Amino acid sequence: MAIKLLHAAPASSDTAQPASRWALRTAYALPWLLLPTCLWRLPFAFHFDMGQLDDAPVSPLWISIPYVFGLSVLTELAALLSIGLVRGWGEVLPSWIPVIGGRRVPPMAAVVPAVAGGLLLTAVSVWMALSWVGVAGSVAYENGWWQALAMVSITPTALWGPIMLALACAYHLRRRPARG
């Protein structure tokens, strides 16, 4: 028996209007796109500075470990939640959810948070790009290798905002009422 490590993205038939193939692939790729940043962040929980030259006071481990691990877990959960923009559970809540399960999701209840999050993440990405080119304040590194590792690990996160905006737009266009 062969073990399948990765499953194929499901057919778009579980939604009222089929989600486009690019939206399906993009939504399923988003958690993988953010994973390098989440992994790069983890050593900071144990006060390993990853080559950064920073004289800021260090918080105790009982604060930094749950904070950094929690931030990484929340990042991945938010990325997984974006899959709801292309799946049926983003249109009708799953029946296993107490009280509200089985109810239709109002389109704006998904579009407004997705657009707000996408705009916020895009603004953060612009600030990050400006800091890397020297316009805004940036972090200094011990050498170019640490800086290259940071840039390779963090750069995919810059796509999160525009991807969320594109998925929200596709969701809105798919869920808008038909004009008759």
Side-chain angles (χ1 to χ4, degrees):
M1 179 173 156
I3 297 175
K4 291 179 73 175
L5 294 176
L6 298 175
H7 71 283
S12 59
S13 61
D14 70 340
T15 58
Q17 295 288 327
S20 62
R21 185 172 298 227
W22 72 264
L24 275 170
R25 289 181 177 170
T26 304
Y28 275 88
L30 189 56
W32 293 103
L33 187 71
L34 299 176
L35 188 60
T37 302
C38 293
L39 294 175
W40 179 81
R41 185 185 299 138
L42 295 180
F44 288 100
F46 301 100
H47 301 160
F48 184 71
D49 59 9
M50 299 292 284
Q52 291 185 352
L53 301 174
D54 190 12
D55 294 334
V58 179
S59 61
L61 286 177
W62 66 272
I63 292 175
S64 65
I65 291 173
Y67 173 74
V68 172
F69 277 81
L71 186 60
S72 293
V73 167
L74 286 176
T75 298
E76 285 299 318
L77 286 176
L80 290 169
L81 193 59
S82 69
I83 295 173
L85 295 172
V86 297
R87 292 299 312 264
W89 55 270
E91 295 179 6
V92 177
L93 293 170
S95 60
W96 57 265
I97 298 176
V99 180
I100 60 172
R103 291 188 183 175
R104 182 178 175 273
V105 175
M108 287 298 126
V111 171
V112 169
V115 168
L119 289 172
L120 178 69
L121 290 165
T122 301
V124 169
S125 299
V126 168
W127 174 80
M128 183 173 61
L130 290 175
S131 71
W132 282 349
V133 296
V135 175
S138 64
V139 177
Y141 289 90
E142 291 177 10
N143 57 45
W145 293 107
W146 282 114
Q147 186 171 9
L149 176 64
M151 291 181 82
V152 166
S153 299
I154 296 173
T155 299
T157 307
L159 299 173
W160 192 6
I163 286 174
M164 282 303 299
L165 292 173
L167 289 174
C169 182
Y171 179 87
H172 175 68
L173 293 175
R174 187 170 46 84
R175 295 280 319 268
R176 69 179 175 201
R179 296 184 180 180

